[in-house]
Structures are given as structure tokens and as C-alpha cells.
Amino acid sequence: MGISRKMFYRQIGAKVAYYRALNDLDQEQLAKKVHISQSTLSRIEGGRYGDNISIAMLLDIAEGLNIDPSLLMTFSETDREMWQQELE
């Protein structure tokens, strides 16, 4: 089962928001830690940043969250099915 780009970016955004909440950070705090604007982080978390998100930015976000970067880009079959249903 493939994964569409739109779904991929939405899943990344959801994971960023999830791990940010686990770290008890608001968007502004995380944005400052990774040297991006709060609006940019909001677009990433909403899956609206799209093709403009770089590997470097994802690495910075993962570092700001103190997590392995692979956690932001690895999805279970359940994750894929959930997002596929939402996008239909």
C-alpha cells in the first residue's frame, strides 16, 4: 500500500504536534528552539507546509523534541489506514 505525499506531510505534522505535546511545549516554544516561525511550525503540524519542508528542518525539529528523526517519518499500517480514511 503506497502513501500519498499529502498523507505523508499530514502524518509528519501530526507526529510533530504529538511529540511537542509530550514535551510540554507550545508551538512558540518549539519554534524558537528550532529557529523557525510559529506560523511555519503551525503549517508543518497542519500538513500544509508540503514540498517546502527540508530534511534539515525535520532534523532540527527532531533535535528540538529530543527524538530520533525516524520517528517523524515512520508510519505503521494503522497510521496509513487512519489517514487514508480521513483524506477520502
Side-chain angles (χ1 to χ4, degrees):
M1 177 182 198
I3 182 170
S4 74
R5 285 181 186 229
K6 183 176 181 178
M7 185 187 333
F8 184 73
Y9 293 125
R10 296 214 32 212
Q11 287 179 326
I12 288 173
K15 286 190 170 203
V16 170
Y18 171 77
Y19 287 110
R20 178 179 55 75
L22 281 181
N23 281 281
D24 199 29
L25 296 169
D26 63 29
Q27 283 185 341
E28 189 172 329
Q29 290 169 317
L30 180 57
K32 284 182 183 180
K33 281 182 85 169
V34 298
H35 309 288
I36 60 175
S37 70
Q38 184 273 327
S39 64
T40 295
L41 181 58
S42 176
R43 288 194 329 266
I44 291 168
E45 288 187 359
R48 297 179 311 276
Y49 202 73
D51 292 336
N52 295 326
I53 193 164
S54 67
I55 297 294
M57 187 180 299
L58 288 176
L59 292 172
D60 289 344
I61 291 170
E63 184 176 322
L65 294 170
N66 297 313
I67 62 170
D68 187 287
S70 67
L71 291 173
L72 297 177
M73 296 178 280
T74 306
F75 311 107
S76 69
E77 190 61 34
T78 302
D79 293 334
R80 291 179 184 156
E81 289 172 2
M82 176 188 70
W83 284 101
Q84 189 62 45
Q85 290 173 1
E86 184 173 313
L87 292 175
E88 291 176 348

